[in-house]
Amino acid sequence: MQSLTDIAIFVKVVELSSFTAAADALEMSQPVVSKSVTRLEEKLGARLLNRTTRRLSLTEAGSELYRRSVRALEEIENAELEVARFQTEPRGTLRVSAPMSFSILQLGSKLQTFLDRYPGVHLELSLDDRQIDLIEEGFDVAIRIANLRDSSLVARKIVPCRQVLCASPAYLKKHGTPERPEDLLEHNCILYSFLSHAREWRLVDEQGETHVVPLKGSLQTNNGLVNRAACVSGAGIVMLPTFYVGEQLRSGELVPLLCKFRPIDIAIYAVYPERRNLSPKVRAFVDFLAETFGPEPEWEKGYPLD
């Protein structure tokens, strides 16, 4: 860093053809400026300036150093300005990890609005239902649908995400309608692999008591859209976040079940590595998610769940 400072001082001396003028411009003393140029000459082992009582002139080595240094200092200045812009306006590549089905059903149609609003941002969206390591895999932010545990990451709640048990009218006509959680033991339940307790559902009654129901089912997948399709076709009872099944509940393709027994609350979160020095592109995207999907989810309008 000292060499870079000495080079910048040397360039200013050459531009102003004077140690004194350079010192005034840099708000330094003349001896400090002179010592800086001398130190640079000693480090390079070459005289850079011919000094006379009347004027300064560049040596051949000094001329070459000046020519290259001017370009280099301009690049450094441009880099500093560019970094400053990254910290004042949303721009650059934004890498986002998001759940596949939520992105297909809800997020994808909203992204152009974000990109129109922030033309300096290039969005890279990776769809994956597993819980990725943001830092290790190089993501700026992740969308997670869960009841989050404590972690070193910052999590901002975007919107509540209720879950609902439902089945098709055809399935219920054939197998009957469960009235209490224990009735699920007699039904085929469609399971989701990525749940921490994939083979049990936890339901909370109106008194706040939790009912843990072990499940049996002939179908288990790692994708909610597949589970929804199977449920609509009459394969069994499914528990899904309401953003999957809003249209089906409104149309009557699916019927909500056990409405007095609520699945454990979850929410949609934006998760990112740290709050300090949060980049504008991350802040803009997280604010956009909250504005677009909160505070109450659009997909729950038009049908009763209570």
Side-chain angles (χ1 to χ4, degrees):
M1 291 299 295
Q2 183 62 60
S3 294
L4 185 58
T5 301
D6 290 343
I7 288 172
I9 291 172
F10 164 72
V11 167
K12 185 61 70 175
V13 169
V14 174
E15 288 175 347
L16 299 178
S17 300
S18 167
F19 283 93
T20 302
D24 290 342
L26 296 170
E27 298 183 344
M28 296 176 171
S29 68
Q30 192 274 341
V32 169
V33 171
S34 180
K35 183 178 179 181
S36 176
V37 175
T38 300
R39 182 169 53 239
L40 184 59
E41 289 178 323
E42 290 173 352
K43 182 178 187 300
L44 297 175
R47 178 175 289 277
L48 302 174
L49 293 168
N50 293 314
R51 302 163 174 84
T52 68
T53 55
R54 287 189 169 185
R55 61 190 295 269
L56 296 175
S57 62
L58 284 166
T59 64
E60 183 178 7
S63 179
E64 183 65 16
L65 179 64
Y66 174 76
R67 183 177 64 83
R68 292 175 178 264
S69 296
V70 168
R71 290 207 306 267
L73 291 171
E74 286 177 351
E75 283 299 311
I76 292 171
E77 183 179 2
N78 290 337
E80 290 176 344
L81 291 172
E82 198 70 7
V83 170
R85 288 182 65 194
F86 272 99
Q87 292 306 112
T88 57
E89 62 182 75
R91 62 195 314 270
T93 298
L94 178 67
R95 298 196 69 227
V96 177
S97 173
M100 182 173 295
S101 298
F102 176 76
S103 300
I104 293 170
L105 294 172
Q106 306 295 339
L107 180 61
S109 61
K110 311 296 192 299
L111 293 178
Q112 191 57 47
T113 300
F114 174 78
L115 294 172
D116 288 343
R117 187 178 300 177
Y118 302 107
V121 175
H122 173 75
L123 180 62
E124 291 185 4
L125 182 66
S126 176
L127 305 185
D128 200 328
D129 289 335
R130 67 189 176 90
Q131 186 165 310
I132 57 94
D133 185 315
L134 267 74
I135 296 174
E136 183 176 323
E137 300 188 38
F139 286 98
D140 297 298
V141 61
I143 298 172
R144 289 186 178 162
I145 303 172
N147 183 359
L148 287 183
R149 298 183 293 272
D150 290 339
S151 78
S152 60
L153 300 173
V154 178
R156 177 175 170 184
K157 185 176 178 179
I158 299 301
V159 67
C161 183
R162 290 202 293 178
Q163 300 184 90
V164 60
L165 273 68
C166 53
S168 69
Y171 175 87
L172 297 175
K173 182 177 180 180
K174 184 175 181 181
H175 299 281
T177 300
E179 300 294 336
R180 297 190 56 80
E182 53 266 31
D183 295 344
L184 294 171
L185 295 170
E186 305 302 320
H187 286 269
N188 193 55
C189 296
I190 303 169
L191 309 178
Y192 179 61
S193 304
F194 283 139
L195 289 178
S196 56
H197 303 283
R199 300 199 71 85
E200 67 182 34
W201 288 340
R202 301 183 176 204
L203 306 175
V204 181
D205 63 24
E206 293 175 309
Q207 286 71 46
E209 182 181 350
T210 299
H211 301 253
V212 180
V213 184
L215 305 173
K216 62 179 182 180
S218 57
L219 176 64
Q220 177 172 322
T221 84
N222 64 354
N223 185 271
L225 286 174
V226 173
N227 285 5
R228 185 186 71 179
C231 184
V232 169
S233 71
I237 297 173
V238 75
M239 183 175 74
L240 284 171
T242 54
F243 68 77
Y244 278 97
V245 292
E247 291 184 15
Q248 289 71 27
L249 291 172
R250 279 188 288 270
S251 69
E253 282 185 286
L254 294 177
V255 177
L257 304 173
L258 297 175
C259 295
K260 294 183 180 181
F261 298 87
R262 189 181 71 252
I264 297 294
D265 288 337
I266 58 175
I268 299 174
Y269 294 87
V271 180
Y272 43 94
E274 59 181 277
R275 193 185 308 276
R276 186 169 56 89
N277 295 327
L278 184 64
S279 70
K281 63 184 178 183
V282 173
R283 181 178 288 107
F285 186 70
V286 173
D287 288 346
F288 173 77
L289 292 177
E291 171 193 321
T292 301
F293 296 113
E296 295 297 330
E298 182 73 22
W299 52 77
E300 286 194 359
K301 295 179 179 178
Y303 58 86
L305 282 179
D306 299 318

